[in-house]
Amino acid sequence: MPLTLALPAMILLGLGIGAPFPLSLIVTLGHADEPAFAGRLAAFVQGGGYMIASVMPFAAGWLRSHSDDLSQAWIMMAVGTVLLLLLALCFSPGKRIL
């Protein structure tokens, strides 16, 4: 990759992969009025996020064993990122769960 494309690629990867999970933990706090409920909800979101994230290495390995490259894994990760961003739009901070 040319050096001139390294910085935009790094920024896009950081926004696409690194931002939704921590932001989901922060946005979660806006959905509860009580600290105890906010803690339980944040723990649920964090646990779910780690379970989703743990599937990707397995899926990428499985896809790699059935093809010659990882392009399908990259596509799957991009689709997952878009789905998580769309899901985040459904849970605006003004909405309350309970």
Side-chain angles (χ1 to χ4, degrees), residues 21-33:
F21 182 59
L23 286 175
S24 68
L25 293 175
I26 294 168
V27 169
T28 300
L29 299 176
H31 288 284
D33 291 327

Side-chain angles (χ1 to χ4, degrees), residues 3 12 16-17 26 31 35 37 48 52 55-57 61 63 78 82 88 97:
L3 186 58
L12 288 174
I17 297 170
I26 294 168
H31 288 284
F37 180 68
I52 292 169
V55 171
M56 189 56 202
L63 287 170
V82 169
I97 293 174

Side-chain angles (χ1 to χ4, degrees), residues 1-97:
M1 175 185 310
L3 186 58
T4 57
L5 295 178
L7 185 59
M10 181 178 58
I11 291 170
L12 288 174
L13 284 171
L15 291 174
I17 297 170
F21 182 59
L23 286 175
S24 68
L25 293 175
I26 294 168
V27 169
T28 300
L29 299 176
H31 288 284
D33 291 327
E34 300 174 9
F37 180 68
R40 289 192 310 272
L41 189 57
F44 174 76
V45 170
Q46 185 174 12
Y50 278 117
M51 288 192 320
I52 292 169
S54 69
V55 171
M56 189 56 202
F58 174 76
W62 185 83
L63 287 170
R64 176 70 172 98
S65 70
H66 288 66
S67 66
D68 291 334
D69 62 3
L70 290 171
S71 60
Q72 292 93 354
W74 282 106
I75 292 169
M76 187 173 65
M77 193 167 10
V79 168
T81 300
V82 169
L83 289 175
L84 286 174
L85 290 172
L86 292 174
L87 183 64
L89 292 175
C90 296
F91 295 106
S92 67
K95 296 179 182 176
R96 294 282 184 217
I97 293 174

